[in-house]
């Protein structure tokens, strides 16, 4: 069931669009903010509320890479795999992170702490290589600082 | 007034609040526009300023605005949209403006919206710009409190609502018609054109989409006049430009310079030249979907016409540097992989062609390339050319590839001849 809190937030968003479905991405993001990810059940309820079919809303939800249709870890790491970061050595940094966490890109640690995802250019190429953890941006961390940074997310 | 876009930006200090922005002359241009009450004259001023779009395509801004059917002939609501989706690899200029001085963008948005008599405006912001989200939402709230937004703005009779929409990822959302579909709560697939958005845009209504940097120039034009704005430039395009450099240079960064500054000036004076031990091999002048320029093309002026004459595009004006210790084939592979992953999948040449290119480049990079692979790569640069696809993603994707095949031909050949990447240890 969508909670009253979620419904209030979604209603507020819908007012900003000419048609109800315009707010569906914000609505999906709202439930994801509360639940971490968007399950089939949640999607169906939300579709009902937005007067869309589950198939329609599902097709929207699978298009956007930051909408999660599978459970993710408590913290999501977005690794920039675009060109400036590649030139500046993201390859080695990523390898270190993968080894450290014991997972590959696209996977979640067994303890549910981190999900590691590739991302397009994070728009901070002058600080390359760049990654984001949740809503925090980190530019050019070396192997030692990245270990300390990761330790800060429990 | 050499740096009108960045004069009030203090990196590390947070953006000026509405009082500080006002003290520095902010929202004066808006008051002027509302007092003059001449949307047509305003569009003419922007045309006279020679402002061209900073989102990549360089379309003249005033001309774009003039395509919106005027007055009662337009179906309302009319929409004005700021493209703050900045995801072009190598591009980090709009971030500075969004985080550093949101009121400049908001003032420009209100003025632009007024020019086309829009009823509703959106800032379409990529989700990962979390700091920008905070700075923009706060600034929008303050602008409403001061009566710069909402009903009957400053008693002028003109009303405008401005909403911040944060997106949910995908590079293709930056393509303006894909952006419209995203705002309608659909998959962000570009639309067939024509009809063009100024006539049939969001929800079928007249819509203008402009880049963040483009619109930040608008209050400057209004305040100082079209003539003064043109004088800021060293080229036929008006104004200044945010130029950026990333890669193995001494000081990667972003600088506001007269439009038409040379690559040499940007690279050597501002970015400090190459890092010790690295040599310049090539320059991607304006984000991932522009052709490589050669290391000896440093005197090319970074304005739309000059970069085009040199064989590439100004694009977003943020350069990516290829150094001699980085494999050009590997770099092109990274670019093509990016475009293959970000293809929306609507048209066959892009959906099927880009992954094919990525596989071939991967084979060459892994030492498994064959001589005829280069012909296949070359043929594709034609197959994915403008006119064969619904949007500019695929044609943009093959720009760095086609130029790399010429500029770095010997490097491609060497990979195939030696069955290995010479840069790999
Ligand atoms: C694949 C693709 C991605 C784009 N991404 C952006 C973007 O992130 N930001 C942007 O301003 N323009 C982007 N554009 C260009 C827009 O389609 C459009 O031309 C631009 O927003 C118009 O604004 P301007 O006239 O002020 O430059 C993109 C174009 C394509 C084909
Ligand atoms: S060129 Fe690619 S991204 Fe553009 S519409 Fe076609 S498939 Fe989609
Ligand atoms: S390429 Fe990584 S932040 Fe731009």
């Amino acid at each position: 069931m969508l909670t009253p809190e979620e419904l209030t937030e979604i209603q507020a968003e819908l007012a900003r669009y000419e048609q109800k479905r315009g707010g569906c991405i914000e609505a999906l993001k709202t439930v994801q903010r509360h639940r971490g990810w968007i399950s089939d059940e949640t999607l169906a309820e939300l579709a009902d509320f937005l007067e869309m079919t589950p198939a329609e809303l599902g097709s929207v939800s699978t298009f956007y890479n930051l909408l999660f249709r599978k459970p993710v870890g408590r913290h999501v790491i977005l690794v920039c795999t675009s060109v400036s970061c590649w030139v500046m050595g993201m390859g080695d940094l990523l390898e270190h992170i993968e080894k450290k966490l014991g997972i590959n890109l696209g996977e979640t640690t067994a303890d549910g702490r981190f999900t590691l995802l590739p991302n397009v250019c994070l728009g901070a190429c002058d600080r390359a290589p760049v990654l984001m953890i949740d809503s925090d941006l980190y530019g050019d961390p070396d192997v030692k600082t990245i270990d300390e940074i990761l330790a800060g997310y429990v | 007034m050499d740096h009108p876009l960045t004069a009030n930006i203090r990196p590390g200090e947070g953006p000026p609040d509405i009082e500080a922005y006002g003290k520095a002359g902010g929202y004066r241009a808006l008051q002027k526009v509302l007092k003059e009450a001449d949307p047509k004259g305003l569009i003419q001023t922007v045309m006279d300023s020679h402002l061209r779009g900073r989102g990549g395509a360089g379309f003249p801004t005033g001309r774009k605005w003039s395509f919106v059917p005027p007055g009662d002939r337009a179906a309302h609501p009319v929409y004005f949209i700021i493209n703050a989706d900045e995801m072009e690899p190598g591009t980090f200029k709009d971030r500075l403006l969004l985080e550093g001085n949101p009121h400049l963008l908001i003032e420009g948005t209100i003025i632009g919206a007024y020019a086309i008599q829009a009823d509703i405006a959106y800032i379409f912001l990529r989700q990962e710009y979390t700091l920008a989200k905070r700075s923009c939402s706060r600034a929008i709230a303050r602008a409403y409190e001061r009566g710069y937004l909402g009903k009957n703005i400053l008693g002028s009779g003109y009303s405008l609502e401005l909403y911040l929409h944060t997106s949910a990822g995908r590079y293709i959302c930056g393509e303006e018609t894909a952006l419209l579909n995203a705002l309608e709560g659909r998959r962000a697939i570009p639309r067939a054109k024509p009809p063009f958005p100024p006539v049939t845009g969001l929800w079928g209504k007249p819509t203008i989409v402009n880049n963040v940097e483009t619109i930040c120039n608008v209050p400057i034009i209004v305040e100082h006049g079209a003539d003064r704005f043109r004088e800021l430039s060293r080229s036929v395009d008006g104004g200044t430009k945010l130029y950026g450099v990333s890669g193995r240079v001494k000081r990667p960064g972003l600088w506001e310079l007269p439009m038409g500054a040379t690559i040499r000036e940007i690279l050597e004076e501002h970015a400090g030249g190459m890092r010790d031990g690295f040599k310049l091999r090539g320059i991607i002048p304006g984000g991932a979907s522009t052709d490589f320029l050669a290391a000896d093309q440093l005197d090319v002026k970074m304005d739309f016409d000059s970069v085009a004459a040199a064989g590439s595009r100004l694009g977003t004006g943020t350069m990516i540097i290829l150094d001699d210790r980085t494999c050009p084939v590997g770099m092109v592979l990274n670019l093509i992989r990016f475009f293959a992953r970000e293809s929306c999948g609507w048209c066959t040449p892009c959906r099927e062609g880009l992954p094919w290119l990525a596989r071939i480049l991967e084979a060459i990079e892994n030492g498994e390339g064959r001589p005829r692979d280069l012909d296949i790569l070359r043929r594709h640069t034609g197959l994915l050319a403008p006119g064969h696809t619904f949007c500019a993603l695929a044609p943009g994707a093959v720009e760095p590839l086609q130029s790399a095949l010429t500029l770095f031909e010997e490097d491609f050949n060497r990979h195939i001849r030696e069955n290995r990447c010479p840069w790999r240890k």
Side-chain angles (χ1 to χ4, degrees):
Chain A
M1 284 285 284
L2 298 172
T3 65
E5 201 187 345
E6 286 169 329
L7 286 173
T8 316
E9 284 179 42
I10 293 168
Q11 287 287 16
E13 289 296 343
L14 294 187
R16 304 166 154 220
Y17 301 87
E18 193 173 313
Q19 292 176 25
K20 225 173 174 180
R21 71 164 299 149
C24 79
I25 293 168
E26 298 278 11
L28 288 163
K29 286 173 67 164
T30 303
V31 293
Q32 178 168 301
R33 205 161 45 239
H34 286 275
R35 300 160 188 233
W37 67 293
I38 304 153
S39 69
D40 287 350
E41 293 73 33
T42 309
L43 186 105
E45 279 173 41
L46 196 55
D48 201 37
F49 180 72
L50 295 167
E51 293 161 28
M52 294 167 75
T53 66
E56 235 182 328
L57 189 62
S59 80
V60 173
S61 74
T62 52
F63 188 88
Y64 298 91
N65 62 297
L66 297 174
L67 295 177
F68 304 136
R69 294 301 316 280
K70 281 198 242 167
V72 290
R74 290 195 294 285
H75 305 289
V76 176
I77 309 176
L78 302 178
V79 176
C80 173
T81 51
S82 289
V83 65
S84 305
C85 290
W86 179 83
V87 169
M88 298 305 284
M90 179 52 92
D92 292 343
L93 183 65
L94 178 58
E95 208 171 294
H96 172 82
I97 296 172
E98 286 179 328
K99 229 181 254 151
K100 169 108 192 154
L101 299 180
I103 51 172
N104 295 318
L105 276 181
E107 295 175 354
T108 300
T109 53
D111 60 1
R113 187 164 153 220
F114 287 113
T115 296
L116 187 63
L117 298 173
N119 208 80
V120 305
C121 174
L122 287 165
C125 329
D126 52 340
R127 298 162 64 190
V130 177
L131 53 84
M132 268 184 97
I133 308 179
D134 301 336
S135 51
D136 311 319
L137 184 80
Y138 297 97
D140 195 16
D142 59 27
V143 167
K144 204 175 125 261
T145 43
I146 193 71
D147 289 353
E148 284 164 15
I149 291 168
L150 289 174
Y153 293 85
V154 286
Chain B
M1 146 90 188
D2 290 345
H3 312 96
L5 287 175
T6 53
N8 294 313
I9 296 180
R10 307 265 177 283
E13 268 184 35
D17 59 19
I18 201 159
E19 283 79 26
Y21 181 73
K23 256 195 213 121
Y27 289 108
R28 249 191 346 229
L30 174 65
Q31 289 168 13
K32 185 171 162 192
V33 159
L34 294 176
K35 206 161 120 234
E36 284 169 2
D38 179 14
K40 249 177 91 186
L42 174 58
I43 294 179
Q44 189 59 47
T45 303
V46 173
M47 281 198 208
D48 295 342
S49 76
H50 294 185
L51 173 65
R52 289 176 67 173
R54 310 293 201 237
F59 197 85
T61 307
R63 220 168 88 225
K64 193 194 271 189
W65 294 359
S66 74
F67 297 151
V68 175
D72 294 341
R73 294 205 349 252
H76 283 266
V78 170
Y79 292 99
F80 192 77
I81 297 171
I82 304 303
N83 191 341
D85 200 48
E86 185 164 74
M87 284 196 207
E88 180 79 7
T91 303
F92 49 98
K93 65 186 184 69
D94 296 338
R95 176 196 280 277
L96 178 76
L97 296 168
L98 290 159
E99 291 178 356
N101 198 1
H103 282 294
L104 181 63
L105 175 66
I106 292 169
E107 185 177 11
T109 303
I110 306 168
I111 297 172
Y114 183 77
I116 61 159
Q117 293 289 296
D119 309 276
I120 298 174
Y122 290 96
I123 296 175
F124 187 98
L125 181 69
R126 68 178 295 187
Q127 178 174 321
E128 300 92 322
Y129 278 12
T130 48
L131 217 58
K133 180 181 176 186
R134 243 173 293 156
S135 65
C136 288
S137 14
R138 193 173 307 145
I140 291 172
R142 292 296 95 76
Y144 267 104
E145 283 164 19
R146 289 285 179 95
Y148 299 144
L149 282 167
K151 295 245 155 11
N152 190 17
I153 296 174
L154 302 177
S156 64
Y158 175 65
S159 302
L160 179 73
E161 301 297 333
L162 171 59
Y163 302 126
L164 182 65
H165 172 98
T166 53
S167 185
R170 288 309 286 276
Y171 167 67
I172 193 59
C173 291
E175 197 279 343
E176 62 180 16
T177 58
L179 183 151
L180 299 180
N181 279 339
L183 265 182
E184 289 184 8
R186 303 172 198 281
R187 291 167 75 88
I189 286 165
R191 297 178 179 174
K193 294 154 278 236
F196 290 94
V199 178
T200 305
L202 189 64
W203 307 111
K205 305 294 187 345
T207 304
I208 289 295
V209 180
N210 273 132
N211 171 260
V212 170
E213 187 186 352
T214 311
I215 292 310
C216 285
N217 279 295
V218 169
I220 299 160
I221 296 169
V222 170
E223 168 125 38
H224 300 279
D227 293 345
R228 183 75 192 87
F229 187 76
R230 280 199 317 272
E231 285 163 16
L232 288 171
S233 162
R234 282 189 222 149
S235 75
V236 292
D237 313 322
T240 58
K241 176 80 190 80
L242 287 178
Y243 293 112
V245 180
S246 63
R248 295 201 190 277
V249 293
K250 289 209 179 87
R251 291 188 301 272
L254 203 58
W255 307 273
E256 182 184 6
L257 301 172
M259 179 67 100
T262 63
I263 296 178
R264 184 185 303 283
E265 186 180 340
I266 299 164
L267 191 60
E268 293 179 355
E269 270 176 48
H270 297 281
M274 299 301 290
R275 284 197 192 173
D276 295 333
F278 294 90
K279 276 210 213 53
L280 176 67
R281 284 213 68 201
I283 304 140
I284 296 185
S289 33
T290 60
D291 281 277
F292 277 95
L293 293 174
D296 63 2
Q297 285 178 293
L298 290 180
D299 293 313
V300 171
K301 288 168 64 177
M302 287 284 280
D303 60 73
F304 289 100
D305 297 347
S306 307
V307 184
S312 185
R313 288 191 303 118
L314 177 65
T316 58
T318 44
M319 312 178 204
I320 310 160
I321 300 302
L322 169 65
D323 60 80
D324 62 336
R325 285 158 70 178
T326 298
C327 172
V329 179
M331 185 162 171
V332 174
L333 169 61
N334 175 281
L335 291 166
I336 293 291
R337 262 195 195 139
F338 161 82
F339 288 111
R341 189 173 77 195
E342 295 303 319
S343 165
C344 83
W346 192 23
C347 19
T348 314
C350 177
R351 183 188 59 240
E352 306 296 328
L354 289 174
W356 189 8
L357 291 178
R359 280 197 301 275
I360 293 174
L361 288 162
E362 205 172 274
I364 297 176
E365 187 59 1
N366 290 336
E368 293 155 5
R370 302 157 306 172
R372 55 180 283 261
D373 285 345
L374 296 186
D375 298 329
I376 302 176
L377 292 179
R378 278 201 191 90
R379 240 186 67 213
H380 270 82
T381 62
L383 291 171
L384 274 70
H388 296 194
T389 55
F390 282 109
C391 91
L393 182 140
V398 292
E399 283 184 29
L401 171 65
Q402 73 193 9
S403 42
L405 284 169
T406 312
L407 279 178
F408 311 118
E409 187 175 12
E410 178 45 25
D411 297 304
F412 279 88
N413 286 333
R414 221 178 127 198
H415 277 76
I416 294 172
R417 216 171 40 234
E418 298 178 13
N419 286 315
R420 68 184 185 103
C421 171
W423 277 269
R424 274 200 206 161
K425 284 154 243 137

